[in-house]
Amino acid sequence: MAIEFTTQDKSRPRHPEKARLPDTPVLRKPDWIRVRAPGPHAFDETRATLRKHRLNTVCEEAACPNIGECWGKRHATVMILGDTCTRACAFCNVRTGRPGALDPFEPARVGHAIAELALSHVVVTSVDRDDLVDGGAAHFAATIRAINGAAPATTIEILTPDFLRKDGALEVVIAARPDVFNHNLETVPSLYRQIRPGARYDHSLRLLERAKELEPGVFTKSGIMVGLGETKAEVLALMDDLRAAHVDFLTIGQYLQPTRKHAAIDRFVTPEEFDDLRAEGEARGFLLVAASPLTRSSHHAAEDFARLSAARQAALGR
């Protein structure tokens, strides 16, 4: 039986809810915000593989500045559950609106693509799907199983939505046994209403804590952006909250404004300040802290997974 899925109308506004907002100022990027040009061959091969399997990536949808570097290494962060998000966060460039139907064949295509790319480690994320009863949890679990079947040597990191008001969703995902469970807090509590209005800080924090309770062996991870107007004291308090929730890995990167309709950059945080934040996080006991202007949740994920594993072994050996 053939199943036809509606293709998203690319002619409509990408962010219809932002169309009438006033333009925000765009600050000139400092010299330390630089990205590498992609290598032509590996980048094109990665893109061709993703296109062949009809997969979305957060690298493209979120306009990640590291796409050239990552795709040049044949690394890509797959985005499942479609290309349209039911939330409208002020920082995010992913398309928003009413999503189409789920594609039941997507998990298998992800598995085949990961096997073809021969990845040692893969990150799978998604749009928010508040319209689904389970928020897409079963689809995440099916994708994990498909990757395990097609590429059993590949370790799997998932970056999930918050599953707000989706009872039992986290349990379904964790039962599929990902190697890393990642959910980003994104920013400090005082900025949630402005930057992440559909989410709840305490809920996201509890989601991370609950993941570790369900599967103590899973690495838990979260990430935030800075340069949105937060204070250092707020960032340090957030670190304390994450450690209280037994989170293993924290990423901190500079917020970069996708368009003039998105939240404005308050300031560019200097590399020295990132170094200081990394030291503060390490002092609090995270197994790993990645902090730099261009750090993103999935950047260097394979290398970071190896470092996480080594750090855990070292801690167990003390």
Side-chain angles (χ1 to χ4, degrees):
M1 179 178 66
I3 302 176
E4 183 176 350
F5 295 92
T6 303
T7 301
Q8 181 67 51
D9 179 8
K10 305 296 183 182
S11 66
R12 70 169 179 77
R14 188 175 183 85
H15 304 286
E17 77 292 335
K18 294 181 174 68
R20 294 175 180 164
L21 294 177
D23 287 354
T24 53
V26 176
L27 300 180
R28 182 177 178 179
K29 293 178 182 177
D31 291 341
W32 62 77
I33 303 286
R34 296 183 182 276
V35 296
R36 302 176 185 176
H41 302 300
F43 181 93
D44 292 341
E45 290 171 2
T46 301
R47 179 168 55 187
T49 299
L50 295 166
R51 294 289 183 272
K52 181 175 76 173
H53 293 284
R54 294 183 290 120
L55 298 179
N56 298 305
T57 70
V58 76
C59 319
E60 297 169 286
E61 297 297 329
C64 179
N66 300 314
I67 186 172
E69 178 188 352
C70 293
W71 283 27
K73 296 178 180 177
R74 298 175 65 83
H75 293 167
T77 299
V78 178
M79 190 176 78
I80 61 174
L81 298 171
D83 69 349
T84 303
C85 187
T86 54
R87 303 274 177 96
C89 296
F91 66 89
C92 185
N93 197 47
V94 173
R95 184 182 299 276
T96 57
R98 180 178 296 177
L102 282 186
D103 179 352
F105 304 110
E106 183 180 54
R109 294 202 310 275
V110 173
H112 294 321
I114 299 314
E116 187 171 328
L117 289 168
L119 298 183
S120 62
H121 184 81
V122 64
V123 182
V124 178
T125 189
S126 78
V127 292
D128 272 285
R129 290 297 301 261
D130 294 317
D131 58 311
L132 300 175
V133 172
D134 70 347
H139 205 76
F140 261 104
T143 302
I144 294 168
R145 291 192 294 268
I147 296 170
N148 281 329
T154 302
T155 49
I156 303 170
E157 177 174 332
I158 55 168
L159 171 55
T160 76
D162 60 10
F163 298 125
L164 187 63
R165 304 183 188 92
K166 307 296 181 183
D167 291 345
L170 178 64
E171 286 77 1
V172 169
V173 173
I174 295 298
R177 304 296 297 272
D179 297 284
V180 180
F181 177 82
N182 186 356
H183 173 66
N184 287 335
L185 292 183
E186 306 292 6
T187 189
V188 299
S190 67
L191 294 177
Y192 257 54
R193 182 170 294 183
Q194 172 189 347
I195 301 300
R196 201 178 174 217
R200 303 292 180 270
Y201 179 84
D202 288 343
H203 172 82
S204 286
L205 197 62
R206 176 57 182 155
L207 188 80
L208 289 157
E209 183 177 40
R210 179 64 177 152
K212 183 71 80 172
E213 290 173 354
L214 290 167
E215 178 48 65
V218 72
F219 288 108
T220 50
K221 175 178 175 180
S222 191
I224 63 167
M225 304 166 288
V226 290
L228 282 162
E230 71 291 325
T231 67
K232 181 179 178 181
E234 288 180 308
V235 173
L236 298 183
L238 178 146
M239 289 183 184
D240 291 336
D241 288 343
L242 287 174
R243 287 303 300 133
H246 308 292
V247 170
D248 299 303
F249 183 11
L250 172 63
T251 62
I252 308 173
Q254 171 71 51
Y255 167 63
L256 295 176
Q257 184 178 351
T259 74
R260 289 183 177 272
K261 300 298 183 182
H262 286 77
I265 297 173
D266 177 71
R267 71 185 186 96
F268 287 103
V269 178
T270 66
E272 293 76 18
E273 290 175 280
F274 277 106
D275 290 342
D276 180 56
L277 289 174
R278 183 188 308 109
E280 291 280 4
E282 290 171 348
R284 282 164 168 76
F286 288 101
L287 286 179
L288 190 62
V289 180
S292 75
L294 289 174
T295 291
R296 295 297 181 268
S297 190
S298 305
H299 195 208
H300 298 154
E303 296 93 330
D304 287 340
F305 180 75
R307 292 169 63 197
L308 267 177
S309 300
R312 174 176 283 175
Q313 288 302 314
L316 291 174
R318 289 174 188 158

